[in-house]
Amino acid sequence: MTSQVPCYTIINSPDLEVPNEMQLKQDLEKGDTNVKIETLKRVIKLLLNGERYPGLIMTIIRFVLPVQNHTIKKLLLIFWEIVPKTSADGKLLQEMILVCDAYRKDLQHPNEFLRGSTLRFLCKLKEPELLEPLMPAIRACLDHRHSYVRRNAVLAIFTIYKNFDWLVPDGPELIASFLDTQQDMSCKRNAFLMLLHADQERALNYLASCIDQVHTFGDILQLVIVELIYKVCHANPAERSRFIRCIYNLLNSSSNAVRYESAGTLITLSLAPTAIKAAASCYIELVVKESDNNVKLIVLDRLVAMKEHEGMEKVMQDLVMDVLRVLAAPDIEVRRKTLALALDLVYSRNIGEMVLVLKKEVAKTHNVEHEDTGKYRQLLVRTLHTCSIKFPDVAANVIPVLVEFLSDTNELAAADVLVFIREAIQKFPALRALIIEHLIEAFPQIKSSKIHRAAVWILGEYVEGPQILEVIAVIQQTLGEVPMVEAEQRRLAGDQTEEQKQQQGSTGGSAAGSGTEASGSGSGNASNKVTSDGTYATQSAYSLAPVAKAEKRPPLRQYLMDGDFFIGAALSATLTKLALRYAELQPEARAQNRLTTQVMLIMSSILHLGKSGFPTKPITNDDTDRIFVCLRTLSERTPEAVAVFTLFCREALGKMLDAQHDEDQRMLKEKQKATAKVQPDDPVLFAQLSNGRDNQLGENVFESSLNQALAGSKNAQMSDVASPNSKLNKVTQLTGFSDPVYAEAYVNVNQYDIVLDVLIVNQTNDTLQNCTLELATLGDLKLVERPHPVVLAPHDFCNIKANVKVSSTENGIIFGNIVYDTALNTNVVVLNTIHIDIMDYIIPASCTDTEFRQMWQDFEWENKVTVNTSFTDLHEYLKHLLKSTNMKCLTPEKALSGQCGFMAANMYAKSIFGENALANLSIEKPVDDPDSKVTGHIRIRAKSQGMALSLGDKISSSQKQSVQAA
């Protein structure tokens, strides 16, 4: 059986060759000081690696213990900590009496460092026979002149009293009198800490005697005082009034750690508005003044936790402006958390002030180039967007500020602005005129094709009345002269002519004549230039880079010349809507036709330009078809086509926004804490007392037994037991039932650690000596320590624990064998492999579509898995996939509803190591054949190869299981 051994100081060491014990003895006896130091280090590492050298103890006592070298003294403290001090029958070794005498001398040594380090070593001893003779010397150290010795003496007495109180029966009384006479803060802290755990009454009496001086104490003592008040007030709520004033005083401590702990204690002791406000204000001050970003994030998490408490949220709403002070921090994560917190706390009274602060923050981001400036602008835009939707009254103030972002070089912020404008213009009809006016103003300054495309759609959908002509004029201005092909030809020729005319002005008549001649002949297309020394040089027009000319084109024309004809198709749809709406408003047929022909000329010009060869890429067939549909709609004006352009587009947007709102509300409900569903008159069920008759009261006896089997896990249903994540399913059989040694392992995964609890059963009639569990790992797993060998009696069993460290999200394998000695020979039993499941590290997560696309573009590892399943329903397969991969479907439920024979969905998950995993599902099945199987592909993308491959393996194995089950 394994015996319980104390935990020692762990020292990492590479694999060592086991040296000869005689050689070690010789080095310790006859070597000089340096050789003794090196040999002692080797002995310590060998002992930690499981070797045993009982013969070395006496050698070390005789030849190393008397040496007065400080390094040797330090090493000996570690050696005596880890060396076995008892014999096989559990009695203390005789040699330890000599060691005890040596440490009694060290406790009386004139050097305070030796005394203090010896006292620290005594805290780790678990043998009362060794400690008893040292007690007078330990007590004497309490009166030493040096504080280092005194504080370690207090710690030694505290540990000894906790483990063997009969050695110091008057410990609390001794330390209480010691505390009254001390001035050093570290000594007072250790003494107070002992009283806190050993004799709370004495600690309270001391605190009551000096409660007014607490603010003058050192921070280490103040922290222990806060801990005492917390414990006492929770154990005895009547004491709150006595100590709460002290906690209030400690909120103003000079130490940030004390203020943090005091604020946390205060809100657990009192839910009075003044206490909540004081604690929240203290947290906010800490965030503002502390420079470390990690500390800022931790304290912000505490504020978020306070906000989620119903009683505290109302009090914290008045502190929104204080929370916004944290935006001065440069870190983007801190700013993101602060804005989210402020957004949750803001209400109708202070929304105006918050918008003013956010406007100032927007102004600060202009002309500031920093790597996170673009992301911060995007955050500000989203926050102002949410504020406007939540509080429509401020939308009119926010819109002018946000429209300025449309001309921003950061496309993400501009895209978010348009998403906001699209939602605001749909939800707030009163603001439509204002939004359109600002949008028309900003339209020519937009720099991105994507932003122009969205702005064109909004203008085409919501412009009414006289603004229609204004919008068409702005579009023409941003598009340039039409027809575009002729304009481009004239532009090319005109630029050359203009350039030659400029040349005429600079070089006189002869140059002008040669320039005219060159352009008239058309053969050379050359012009004369004057060099720096006054001579003429000829330059061909073909060698000139057209970049400078390209920059002069209007924005929309430039997109088309770059081959982006999707903007041309969007422009055509918008112009069609404007023309149809104008025809409804304008009764005069002539005006209608004039506008329609003007619009049709622009569309046909875009088509002509696409086929002309001027742009870098020709127009695509899709864009051509779309523009032809628009031209045909304007010429024929069938009621169905007109209805699509004038009515259905806006209806589709309304439905999409409603679906988004429903999804947000659903997410909000999921986040809210579920209320207790236990009724007041429900019977109280005690699992430990359950028997067969309890079933009459509605208790499932099997479930109660299962709860006990699962080590007290809550609410274990039958579905949980059958699920892959159940604890029972994590028991892996390592050997066969007929093997001489039977072994099975329970795999307990806890974030970065895996603990294997291995049960080993001796099924033979022999005693197994040196029964050792030897393990090795494959993948990003690392075995922390080797399990110790055990001795197993016939038909005996034992449990051995092995720790494995995990460093990334990959499928890992643990394998090995059990080696044991019998009277005749050494035997080996090979173990079955243990597969570490990637699902233990993956949790569902959400991100925006923009973030998903960005990550999809950035991640280089892709794994394509072919769908091979027995499922015949697309939705059922998606549910199965989400369940087996722990991923979250980002595609809204309404987008997936209905049966069209095809489904595409995006999925996202994060690992506990911060790794992202993206997946795109693309599946189909014939609609007319209900029995056909689902087919398609799943594409997985991740930053690391291991993540992509492991997730693909998981999907493949889950598909195989479903096929076999079918």
Side-chain angles (χ1 to χ4, degrees), residues 336-364:
R336 182 178 283 119
K337 224 163 216 179
T338 305
L339 286 172
L341 177 62
L343 203 53
D344 287 339
L345 290 176
V346 74
Y347 65 115
S348 53
R349 277 192 208 164
N350 52 19
I351 182 66
E353 294 175 42
M354 179 170 165
V355 167
L356 286 174
V357 172
L358 295 178
K359 278 184 178 179
K360 287 181 184 174
E361 288 296 316
V362 167
K364 285 180 192 173

Short mmCIF file of all heavy atoms in Angstrom, two decimals, residues 336-364:
data_model
loop_
_atom_site.label_atom_id
_atom_site.label_comp_id
_atom_site.label_asym_id
_atom_site.label_seq_id
_atom_site.Cartn_x
_atom_site.Cartn_y
_atom_site.Cartn_z
N ARG A 336 -12.12 48.14 -23.75
CA ARG A 336 -13.29 47.35 -24.18
C ARG A 336 -14.15 46.97 -22.98
O ARG A 336 -15.37 47.12 -23.01
CB ARG A 336 -12.79 46.09 -24.90
CG ARG A 336 -13.92 45.21 -25.42
CD ARG A 336 -13.41 43.99 -26.16
NE ARG A 336 -12.97 44.34 -27.49
CZ ARG A 336 -11.73 44.19 -27.94
NH1 ARG A 336 -10.81 43.68 -27.16
NH2 ARG A 336 -11.40 44.52 -29.17
N LYS A 337 -13.50 46.53 -21.90
CA LYS A 337 -14.23 46.12 -20.70
C LYS A 337 -14.93 47.31 -20.06
O LYS A 337 -16.05 47.22 -19.56
CB LYS A 337 -13.26 45.48 -19.71
CG LYS A 337 -13.77 44.22 -19.09
CD LYS A 337 -12.67 43.43 -18.45
CE LYS A 337 -12.92 41.95 -18.62
NZ LYS A 337 -11.91 41.12 -18.07
N THR A 338 -14.24 48.46 -20.07
CA THR A 338 -14.80 49.68 -19.46
C THR A 338 -16.04 50.14 -20.21
O THR A 338 -17.06 50.48 -19.60
CB THR A 338 -13.74 50.81 -19.47
OG1 THR A 338 -12.55 50.33 -18.82
CG2 THR A 338 -14.24 52.03 -18.76
N LEU A 339 -15.96 50.15 -21.53
CA LEU A 339 -17.12 50.59 -22.33
C LEU A 339 -18.30 49.63 -22.15
O LEU A 339 -19.45 50.07 -22.05
CB LEU A 339 -16.73 50.67 -23.81
CG LEU A 339 -15.84 51.87 -24.21
CD1 LEU A 339 -15.37 51.73 -25.64
CD2 LEU A 339 -16.59 53.18 -24.02
N ALA A 340 -18.01 48.33 -22.08
CA ALA A 340 -19.10 47.35 -21.87
C ALA A 340 -19.76 47.57 -20.51
O ALA A 340 -20.99 47.52 -20.39
CB ALA A 340 -18.54 45.94 -21.97
N LEU A 341 -18.94 47.82 -19.48
CA LEU A 341 -19.48 48.06 -18.13
C LEU A 341 -20.31 49.34 -18.10
O LEU A 341 -21.42 49.37 -17.56
CB LEU A 341 -18.32 48.15 -17.14
CG LEU A 341 -18.67 48.46 -15.68
CD1 LEU A 341 -19.55 47.36 -15.10
CD2 LEU A 341 -17.42 48.63 -14.83
N ALA A 342 -19.78 50.41 -18.69
CA ALA A 342 -20.50 51.69 -18.70
C ALA A 342 -21.82 51.56 -19.45
O ALA A 342 -22.84 52.12 -19.05
CB ALA A 342 -19.63 52.77 -19.34
N LEU A 343 -21.80 50.79 -20.53
CA LEU A 343 -23.01 50.61 -21.34
C LEU A 343 -24.10 49.87 -20.56
O LEU A 343 -25.29 50.15 -20.69
CB LEU A 343 -22.64 49.83 -22.60
CG LEU A 343 -23.55 49.97 -23.81
CD1 LEU A 343 -23.77 51.42 -24.16
CD2 LEU A 343 -22.91 49.26 -24.99
N ASP A 344 -23.68 48.92 -19.72
CA ASP A 344 -24.65 48.18 -18.91
C ASP A 344 -25.21 49.05 -17.77
O ASP A 344 -26.34 48.83 -17.32
CB ASP A 344 -23.99 46.94 -18.31
CG ASP A 344 -23.75 45.86 -19.36
OD1 ASP A 344 -24.43 45.92 -20.40
OD2 ASP A 344 -22.89 45.00 -19.15
N LEU A 345 -24.41 50.01 -17.31
CA LEU A 345 -24.83 50.80 -16.15
C LEU A 345 -25.59 52.08 -16.54
O LEU A 345 -26.34 52.62 -15.72
CB LEU A 345 -23.60 51.21 -15.33
CG LEU A 345 -22.88 50.11 -14.56
CD1 LEU A 345 -21.63 50.65 -13.89
CD2 LEU A 345 -23.79 49.48 -13.50
N VAL A 346 -25.38 52.55 -17.76
CA VAL A 346 -25.95 53.85 -18.13
C VAL A 346 -27.48 53.80 -18.13
O VAL A 346 -28.09 52.77 -18.43
CB VAL A 346 -25.40 54.29 -19.51
CG1 VAL A 346 -26.03 53.51 -20.63
CG2 VAL A 346 -25.58 55.79 -19.70
N TYR A 347 -28.11 54.92 -17.76
CA TYR A 347 -29.58 55.01 -17.80
C TYR A 347 -29.96 56.39 -18.29
O TYR A 347 -29.10 57.23 -18.61
CB TYR A 347 -30.19 54.67 -16.43
CG TYR A 347 -29.86 55.62 -15.31
CD1 TYR A 347 -30.85 56.39 -14.70
CD2 TYR A 347 -28.56 55.74 -14.82
CE1 TYR A 347 -30.56 57.26 -13.67
CE2 TYR A 347 -28.26 56.60 -13.79
CZ TYR A 347 -29.26 57.36 -13.22
OH TYR A 347 -28.97 58.23 -12.20
N SER A 348 -31.27 56.65 -18.37
CA SER A 348 -31.74 57.84 -19.09
C SER A 348 -31.20 59.16 -18.54
O SER A 348 -31.00 60.11 -19.28
CB SER A 348 -33.28 57.87 -19.09
OG SER A 348 -33.74 57.76 -17.76
N ARG A 349 -30.90 59.22 -17.23
CA ARG A 349 -30.45 60.50 -16.66
C ARG A 349 -29.03 60.86 -17.07
O ARG A 349 -28.72 62.02 -17.29
CB ARG A 349 -30.51 60.44 -15.13
CG ARG A 349 -31.89 60.74 -14.59
CD ARG A 349 -31.83 60.94 -13.11
NE ARG A 349 -33.08 60.58 -12.47
CZ ARG A 349 -33.22 60.37 -11.18
NH1 ARG A 349 -32.18 60.45 -10.40
NH2 ARG A 349 -34.38 60.08 -10.67
N ASN A 350 -28.15 59.86 -17.13
CA ASN A 350 -26.76 60.22 -17.43
C ASN A 350 -26.30 59.82 -18.83
O ASN A 350 -25.11 59.89 -19.13
CB ASN A 350 -25.81 59.62 -16.38
CG ASN A 350 -26.01 58.13 -16.20
OD1 ASN A 350 -26.59 57.48 -17.07
ND2 ASN A 350 -25.54 57.60 -15.09
N ILE A 351 -27.22 59.41 -19.71
CA ILE A 351 -26.82 59.03 -21.06
C ILE A 351 -26.25 60.23 -21.82
O ILE A 351 -25.30 60.11 -22.59
CB ILE A 351 -28.01 58.40 -21.84
CG1 ILE A 351 -27.59 57.95 -23.25
CG2 ILE A 351 -29.18 59.33 -21.94
CD1 ILE A 351 -26.60 56.85 -23.28
N GLY A 352 -26.83 61.43 -21.56
CA GLY A 352 -26.34 62.64 -22.24
C GLY A 352 -24.88 62.91 -21.90
O GLY A 352 -24.06 63.21 -22.78
N GLU A 353 -24.54 62.81 -20.61
CA GLU A 353 -23.16 63.04 -20.18
C GLU A 353 -22.23 61.99 -20.78
O GLU A 353 -21.12 62.30 -21.21
CB GLU A 353 -23.06 62.98 -18.66
CG GLU A 353 -23.80 64.11 -17.94
CD GLU A 353 -23.74 63.91 -16.43
OE1 GLU A 353 -22.66 63.54 -15.92
OE2 GLU A 353 -24.76 64.12 -15.76
N MET A 354 -22.69 60.75 -20.80
CA MET A 354 -21.84 59.68 -21.35
C MET A 354 -21.57 59.92 -22.84
O MET A 354 -20.42 59.74 -23.31
CB MET A 354 -22.53 58.33 -21.16
CG MET A 354 -21.72 57.17 -21.73
SD MET A 354 -22.42 55.58 -21.24
CE MET A 354 -21.60 54.48 -22.38
N VAL A 355 -22.58 60.35 -23.59
CA VAL A 355 -22.39 60.61 -25.01
C VAL A 355 -21.37 61.74 -25.22
O VAL A 355 -20.52 61.69 -26.12
CB VAL A 355 -23.74 60.93 -25.69
CG1 VAL A 355 -23.53 61.51 -27.08
CG2 VAL A 355 -24.59 59.67 -25.78
N LEU A 356 -21.42 62.77 -24.35
CA LEU A 356 -20.45 63.87 -24.46
C LEU A 356 -19.02 63.36 -24.25
O LEU A 356 -18.10 63.74 -24.98
CB LEU A 356 -20.77 64.95 -23.41
CG LEU A 356 -21.98 65.84 -23.71
CD1 LEU A 356 -22.27 66.75 -22.53
CD2 LEU A 356 -21.71 66.67 -24.97
N VAL A 357 -18.85 62.49 -23.24
CA VAL A 357 -17.52 61.92 -22.98
C VAL A 357 -17.05 61.11 -24.19
O VAL A 357 -15.90 61.21 -24.62
CB VAL A 357 -17.54 61.04 -21.71
CG1 VAL A 357 -16.22 60.29 -21.55
CG2 VAL A 357 -17.80 61.88 -20.48
N LEU A 358 -17.96 60.29 -24.74
CA LEU A 358 -17.58 59.45 -25.88
C LEU A 358 -17.27 60.31 -27.11
O LEU A 358 -16.38 59.97 -27.90
CB LEU A 358 -18.70 58.46 -26.21
CG LEU A 358 -18.97 57.41 -25.12
CD1 LEU A 358 -20.14 56.51 -25.53
CD2 LEU A 358 -17.75 56.55 -24.86
N LYS A 359 -17.97 61.44 -27.26
CA LYS A 359 -17.66 62.36 -28.36
C LYS A 359 -16.23 62.89 -28.23
O LYS A 359 -15.48 63.00 -29.21
CB LYS A 359 -18.64 63.53 -28.36
CG LYS A 359 -19.98 63.24 -29.02
CD LYS A 359 -20.77 64.53 -29.03
CE LYS A 359 -22.11 64.37 -29.72
NZ LYS A 359 -22.88 65.62 -29.70
N LYS A 360 -15.86 63.25 -26.98
CA LYS A 360 -14.50 63.74 -26.75
C LYS A 360 -13.47 62.66 -27.07
O LYS A 360 -12.41 62.93 -27.64
CB LYS A 360 -14.34 64.19 -25.29
CG LYS A 360 -15.04 65.50 -24.97
CD LYS A 360 -14.81 65.87 -23.51
CE LYS A 360 -15.60 67.13 -23.16
NZ LYS A 360 -15.51 67.46 -21.71
N GLU A 361 -13.80 61.42 -26.68
CA GLU A 361 -12.89 60.31 -26.98
C GLU A 361 -12.75 60.12 -28.49
O GLU A 361 -11.66 59.83 -28.99
CB GLU A 361 -13.40 59.01 -26.34
CG GLU A 361 -13.27 58.96 -24.83
CD GLU A 361 -11.83 58.99 -24.36
OE1 GLU A 361 -10.98 58.29 -24.95
OE2 GLU A 361 -11.54 59.75 -23.42
N VAL A 362 -13.86 60.29 -29.22
CA VAL A 362 -13.81 60.18 -30.69
C VAL A 362 -12.89 61.25 -31.25
O VAL A 362 -12.05 61.00 -32.12
CB VAL A 362 -15.23 60.32 -31.29
CG1 VAL A 362 -15.16 60.52 -32.79
CG2 VAL A 362 -16.07 59.09 -30.98
N ALA A 363 -13.02 62.49 -30.72
CA ALA A 363 -12.17 63.59 -31.20
C ALA A 363 -10.70 63.32 -30.92
O ALA A 363 -9.83 63.65 -31.73
CB ALA A 363 -12.61 64.90 -30.52
N LYS A 364 -10.41 62.67 -29.78
CA LYS A 364 -9.00 62.38 -29.42
C LYS A 364 -8.36 61.39 -30.40
O LYS A 364 -7.15 61.39 -30.58
CB LYS A 364 -8.93 61.78 -28.02
CG LYS A 364 -9.12 62.78 -26.90
CD LYS A 364 -9.01 62.05 -25.57
CE LYS A 364 -9.47 62.92 -24.42
NZ LYS A 364 -9.51 62.17 -23.15
#
